[in-house]
Structures are given as structure tokens and as C-alpha cells.
Amino acid sequence: MSRIWRRARTTVDDDRGAMLVTIIVVMLVGVIVASAVAASVVFTIRTNVANQGDTQAFVAAESGRDVAVGHLAAAIGDDGLDCTRVLATGASVTGTTPRYEYEIRSSINADRPASWEEFTLDCPTEFTRWVAIRSTGWGLQGSDATVDAVYPWYHGPATQPAGTLAFFEGEFKATKSTYQGDLVIRDVGNYACNNGSGIAVDGDLWVLNGGLELTGDCVVSGSVYVRGLIDVKNHGFRVGGDVISVDGSILLTANSVEIGGDIRAAGDIDTKNGSGIVHGTFATSGVMKNHSATRWKDEAGAGVPVLQGQPRPVISPTLDQVFDATQWIELTSTTPWATGTDVVYTGVCSRAALEAVLSSTESSRAIVDMSACAASVSGKSTITVDPGSPQMTRDAVIVVPSTSNMDLKLGGHLRKAAGAGNPQLLIVHLDADGTDIKPTCTTGPDKLAVGTSINLRALIYSSCGISNTIALTMTGQIYMGNEGLHLNAGTFTCTPMSWEPVVGNLACGVKGAGGIFDPSDTVTRLEHLAYQTER
């Protein structure tokens, strides 16, 4: 009996040992799990703190950038930038948040510099083209972030050229068309003037990077300024002012020439078999060739004075200055169209929907974003813009993204409502690249069909240009790249337009009051952010 009892006690003792081991194991696992949970919590807390620090550092860096922009803006006055008021380097007040340091640099390069090192620590001047701001900010636990922001810098005429100072990087033709305002041709190559009747250009004609040739009768009410050869043969040539070749010669071998001012050339002037009326003088840096004095008369029937071996023609502004002043205006997907009470409309795609928005009597400006209106046409993403026949009372802009073709149909009756002020309609096919200061098109040329009734101020902006020939009668502005524009019949009349703050006053002339080279009206400004990197 005692042996049985002893065995029972031994068995109980053994079970109690096993239970103790189990309890110890469970406790050990619990400790491990608790430690893991605690470690995860600590890691999460540290990560959140680090992320918070990084965010604070980035916010601080952008705050420094904005302070630098504010310093530049505050230092701009009526006479330009006052460099004595510009803090090229700066920092936040010690002990305050956010904590940042910044530096302002500039560049006179025409193209945007590719790196910070290409900018110099100089105050922006009238020759500056780009301004860069590097700002470093700090957050919690010493975390830091740096942003490099690059802005275009503008110093020049308060008005930006467009319309009949239209930007035509590609071909421009005006056949039997009246074009009222100064016409600037920027493209490399000769400009062919062809006008069968009426006035081809009711203003000055500027050919900045090529020559002038006549493929038909050509009439210009103002003066003609050309870089290269002026070749006048077999067609009538009537100019109200001077005819000047800045770098080339002049061939006047036609019989129907009438010039209201001087004829001046850097090279020779050849009048073989030509005849006409010149109200001023022949002035050449070279010699007169094949000239028959009896075939050329002034308005009174007397001979035309001839001056040879003269200094090269000097004009003001120069062709290079006009080229710089008429640079492409970049309107891209980042352009901030809406400000204040402006109303943005999306999903407005049909003719009826567009006409309803444009006919609204609301006072706020309207921005119609047609990004959602693309459809496949012949395998291409195309947006059809057909505003119908609205009666407008307010300013509006229709925006077509650069990723789609634009098929613009202006077959309705565009007009302002009775009793309305002077509303304007801008139709903009966006540029694909806002950093190169030239028209960039990735979709091919646009299409344009025009009716006979556009009775309000209208602007057509296309980095792609128009592929088809059109008869256009309208008042407003035209801004074309790449394919350019071919007008055949009609009358285009330039009128000043703007869309503040995106587009300043678009002028209609080069020289004189209200022109882009009105010396009494010059501005200095830091343009919209063009490029930024963060690290």
C-alpha cells in the first residue's frame, strides 16, 4: 500500500514539473510577442517622426523659395529691379520655424541652364533670361530638403506681341487678303508676298531671318524691313514707307514700283529694266547697278537722288531686338488660367453645351477645359471645338490639351450680346513643352473652318499651326507655330487682347505708342515657375 502511495506521489510531482515547463514556455512566447509588438510600435513611431521631419523640411524649403520670390517681386519698381533691395542670400530668423536658407542666382543664356552650377550669383539685369532659387529647409531631428526652382525673367516692353505681330514659326501666306497691323515673320527663309488686290499688309512688314520675294503684286502701307535680299520682279510693289535690306541687296527689276520713302541696302541696288516712283532716295552701301535715272522719278516727276558707298542701314529697333521681343508665349498644361471668381467648366464638349456656357450672362470669366472631350478620328485623338453661335457678355477661354488634335469649327455667328462691353474669346491649343520658348507640337497640324461672322474679339493660339487654306475675316489675334497659316481672301484686323495674369497686353504694332517698342512702357517681372527639382 505504501508503495502504491509513493508511486502516486511521484506521478503528481512529475505532472507538476511538466506544467511548470509549459507555463515557462508560454511566458517566454508572450515576452517575445510583446517585444515584437513593442519594437513595431517604436519603429512606427520613429518612421512617423522621420516622415514628419522630411515633410517639415520640404515645407520649409518651399517657404524659403517663396520668401526669395517675394524679395525679388518687392524690389521691382517702375524703373526695373533695384538690386540694392535684393537679398541674394537669406535665411529664416534664428529660433523660428520653418527654418530655411536660400540663394538667388541668374543667367543670361537664351536656353534654360541645365544645372545650378550654370547660374551665377549676380543680381538680375535687363539682359537676364533666367533666375534660379536654391532653398534648403530643416525639419525635426535634423532632416533637410533642398529645392532648385527656375523661373523665366522678363525685362522689356510691357506689351507682348501677337495677332498681326503674330508668331509664325512656320509658313505664312496672305493671298488676296487684307492684314491690318504690323506683320512679323520670324521663320528662316524668304517671305513670299502675294496679293492680287487690296492691301496685303496694312502696317509694317518685318522679315527677321530671310529675304523678301514677290510671287504676285505686293502692297504694304507702312515700311518694309528685311534681313536678306529683296527681290522685286515681274510684279507690282507698292510701299507707303521705306524699303530697307539690313544685310542684303535689293533687285528692283519690275515696272510697277512705288515707294513712299527711301530705298536703302547694305549691299548693291540693281534696277535693271525696272521703273517706278520713289519719294525718297536710293542709298546703298555698295553701288547702283544697271540704273537708268530716266526710268525713276519722284512724286513731282523729278529724278531720284542716288547715294552710293553709304554706311550700312541702321534701324531701331534692330531685327534681333524684334526677334527677341516676339518670342513664343508658352501656354501649357500648367498655365494657371483661373483666378479669383473665374469659373472652370469641364465635360463641356458638344456645340450646344459650349454655346450655352459662352452665352451665359454671368460676370465671372469662363475657362472651358476640353480635356475630357477627345475622340478617335482617323486613328488620332481629336477634340472638335464648335462654339456654335453664342451671344457673349463675358470673357472666355477654351483650352484644348496638347495631347489631342484640334478641329476648330467657327461656322456659327460668334458675336457679343446687345449692350455688352467688349468680351473676348480665346481658343487655345496648348503647347507640349513649356521650357523651350518655341512652339512644340506632338499631334500634327490643326484644322480650322471659318464662317463669315466673327463679330467679337477672338484669339486663336496653336503651337501646331493650321494645315488648310482659309478665308478669314475676324478681329483679334492669331498665334501660330510649325505649319503656320495660309490666308486666302478676307480681312484680318488686329486688336489688343489679354488674359491676366497669364497673358499680358498683346499688341498690334512694333514701334510707337502702344507698340511693343514703346520706350515709355517697359516692365520687369519674374514669370511663372518653369522647372523645379527636389531632393
Side-chain angles (χ1 to χ4, degrees), residues 45 270 275 318 340 342 381 462 497:
I45 293 174
D270 189 339
S275 64
T318 67
D342 294 345
S381 175
S462 170
M497 296 180 67

Side-chain angles (χ1 to χ4, degrees), residues 88-100:
T89 59
S92 56
V93 178
T94 302
T96 63
T97 56
R99 189 164 72 91
Y100 57 79

Side-chain angles (χ1 to χ4, degrees), residues 32 38 48 61 64 141-142 173 177 195 232 315 331 342 383 393 417 428 457 469 491 505:
I32 293 173
N48 289 339
Q141 297 182 342
K173 291 183 179 180
S177 301
N195 185 70
V232 179
I315 61 174
L331 301 178
D342 294 345
I383 293 177
T393 61
V428 177
R457 292 185 299 156
T469 299
T491 299
N505 185 32

